[in-house]
Amino acid sequence: MTTDVLQIELRKAERSRIQEVDFNNLPFGKHFSDHMFVADFIDGEWTSQMIVPFDNFTLSPALSSLHYGQSIFEGMKAFKNEAGEVRLFRPYENFKRMNESAKRMCMATLTEDVFMGGLEALLRVDADWVPSSPESSLYVRPYMFATDTYLGVAPSKTYRFCIFTCPVGAYYSKPPKLKIETEYIRSAPGGVGFAKCAGNYAGSMYPTLLAQQQGYDQLIWTDAREHKYIEESGTMNIMFVIDGKLVTPATSDSILKGVTRDSLLQIARSMGIEVEERLVSIDEVLTGIESGRLTEAFGAGTAVGASPYALIGYNGKDYMLPEYGPTDSVAVKLRDQMNAIRTGQVEDTFGWVHTV
Ligand SMILES: *Cc1c(COP(=O)(O)O)cnc(C)c1O
């Protein structure tokens, strides 16, 4: 990889805000590190790469991404090992996926130089912001949006790519209650569900609010055609333990290919747990809970790792999942192993960690 750091202009913050942050009490996504990386796509090229203090943008009211939604993002985490080295978890997967999202939304794609070079340079400048306490990490948010000031509905010719970061703490919550959604959809075949594009999240908020008014925390999305098969949960992939096997819906154009999903599947295989990627019907899940063959259901995503569910609601009936001790479930075993790889407590036999 060629990372020509000289291309990146660095304007450092006059004073760091790091003293204002309580690293023992980090809420998700509220504290922003001192700097951000910015690059603009103009005349067919990524130009003016800069690391500047985290600050507001000045934007035109006619900015096309605000009107027509050419806006995509990524999310990944960086960790510090005992030696103080900054370790990114599988960043090339996020790079590849960002370009898949960009292609689907008819946006400019990123070069590896800009994505990885900007990411590494930013993490070097803000290395002090990477928490070292167990289960804390630096959440990294790369994103890109259209910047043409033109009201015609057409792909923008100019884009801004930005990366900023947030130190985040352990994500402890009591196991959420999930509702199987059979009216609204998150995505459909031929649509944009596999892309991490802004509008997907906007569209999911109202159905989620309705479920919360019924006492649930999150939704389980089902297929758009029949509402018969499980797709994802909230903004995460979903996994089940059925007959001792790790079972998850196979990815498609209506399911986002999570890096966490892939990591947990690979870790499970390496531990000798059988893995199945296939269609998972609502009926299989509910009868599985009732018969005791389905022993776990959990969400998989960067923010939480693996998040075990308390219950699944369907058509007004709640199906309780078994409760586990803090380290007894397959979900937590897989999550802990993934975290140990990320922080360097165990050897990274997969080659996933990218040291900055
Ligand atoms: C980001 C995301 C995921 C999880 O992807 P990770 O790479 O594991 O963080 C799953 N589903 C949706 C809809 C997402 O936006």
Side-chain angles (χ1 to χ4, degrees):
M1 185 190 61
T2 56
T3 305
D4 188 353
V5 186
L6 294 178
Q7 288 175 18
I8 303 175
E9 183 190 323
L10 172 61
R11 188 153 58 76
K12 283 201 88 168
E14 279 170 21
R15 65 174 266 286
S16 174
R17 288 179 281 98
I18 200 163
Q19 303 303 338
E20 296 162 20
V21 178
D22 176 4
F23 275 74
N24 296 315
N25 182 18
L26 290 167
F28 184 84
K30 290 222 168 105
H31 295 297
F32 305 110
S33 317
D34 285 327
H35 298 91
M36 60 184 185
F37 172 80
V38 184
D40 284 315
F41 187 81
I42 298 166
D43 292 335
E45 271 191 298
W46 287 102
T47 58
S48 47
Q49 298 180 52
M50 284 186 288
I51 289 174
V52 294
F54 181 89
D55 201 358
N56 296 344
F57 293 134
T58 300
L59 300 170
S60 165
L63 197 81
S64 68
S65 51
L66 298 178
H67 300 264
Y68 309 124
Q70 278 186 299
S71 179
I72 58 175
F73 66 97
E74 272 302 326
M76 73 181 96
K77 281 180 168 178
F79 300 80
K80 221 173 235 175
N81 65 9
E82 281 193 341
E85 290 168 323
V86 174
R87 299 156 64 88
L88 276 163
F89 187 67
R90 309 190 74 184
Y92 290 95
E93 298 303 315
N94 298 92
F95 165 61
K96 278 189 266 171
R97 188 171 66 192
M98 187 145 196
N99 277 343
E100 281 160 24
S101 298
K103 190 172 156 208
R104 180 63 181 85
M105 305 311 285
C106 213
M107 299 168 74
T109 52
L110 286 150
T111 60
E112 187 176 318
D113 244 20
V114 172
F115 187 95
M116 288 304 299
L119 183 59
E120 291 187 354
L122 179 67
L123 288 181
R124 283 194 202 105
V125 172
D126 278 343
D128 288 347
W129 287 83
V130 185
S132 48
S133 61
E135 303 207 34
S136 298
S137 59
L138 191 73
Y139 182 82
V140 180
R141 171 52 59 89
Y143 63 112
M144 194 210 300
F145 57 96
T147 50
D148 276 8
T149 52
Y150 169 60
L151 278 191
V153 178
S156 181
K157 292 185 176 62
T158 61
Y159 297 90
R160 174 160 292 176
F161 172 59
C162 179
I163 311 173
F164 65 80
T165 67
C166 305
V168 295
Y171 184 96
Y172 291 125
S173 70
K174 70 176 200 326
K177 301 174 187 165
L178 277 284
K179 179 196 159 189
I180 297 180
E181 176 61 62
T182 51
E183 185 183 350
Y184 296 97
I185 57 166
R186 190 192 81 85
S187 66
V192 298
F194 68 91
K196 245 176 147 68
C197 59
N200 282 347
Y201 305 86
S204 71
M205 287 176 191
Y206 179 66
T208 306
L209 177 72
L210 295 180
Q212 287 166 352
Q213 287 168 350
Q214 297 163 0
Y216 297 97
D217 300 297
Q218 259 304 345
L219 290 177
I220 292 176
W221 299 104
T222 55
D223 73 284
R225 282 203 183 101
E226 299 179 88
H227 291 303
K228 194 172 155 194
Y229 298 100
I230 306 281
E231 299 224 306
E232 294 202 55
S233 68
T235 58
M236 287 186 263
N237 294 114
I238 190 165
M239 299 190 165
F240 304 95
V241 178
I242 304 174
D243 294 332
K245 294 177 200 161
L246 186 62
V247 179
T248 192
T251 54
S252 66
D253 63 354
S254 58
I255 295 180
L256 193 130
K257 285 195 181 68
V259 179
T260 314
R261 174 188 180 280
D262 180 70
S263 306
L264 296 178
L265 294 181
Q266 290 198 48
I267 290 169
R269 287 191 189 99
S270 78
M271 289 175 156
I273 298 170
E274 218 176 301
V275 167
E276 290 181 358
E277 297 178 69
R278 56 171 173 78
L279 285 175
V280 182
S281 71
I282 298 173
D283 186 55
E284 179 183 5
V285 168
L286 301 182
T287 56
I289 296 175
E290 286 189 320
S291 69
R293 291 176 61 188
L294 189 154
T295 48
E296 293 180 42
F298 57 98
T302 293
V304 295
S307 158
Y309 297 148
L311 66 81
I312 293 175
Y314 180 66
N315 277 346
K317 185 174 169 198
D318 289 342
Y319 297 74
M320 301 299 299
L321 288 153
E323 280 181 47
Y324 292 90
T327 56
D328 296 341
S329 63
V330 171
V332 171
K333 283 193 184 103
L334 296 175
R335 180 184 73 192
D336 286 351
Q337 183 66 12
M338 183 173 71
N339 282 337
I341 294 169
R342 301 203 281 194
T343 55
Q345 290 155 286
V346 302
E347 196 196 339
D348 170 23
T349 52
F350 299 96
W352 284 339
V353 173
H354 180 84
T355 304
V356 175

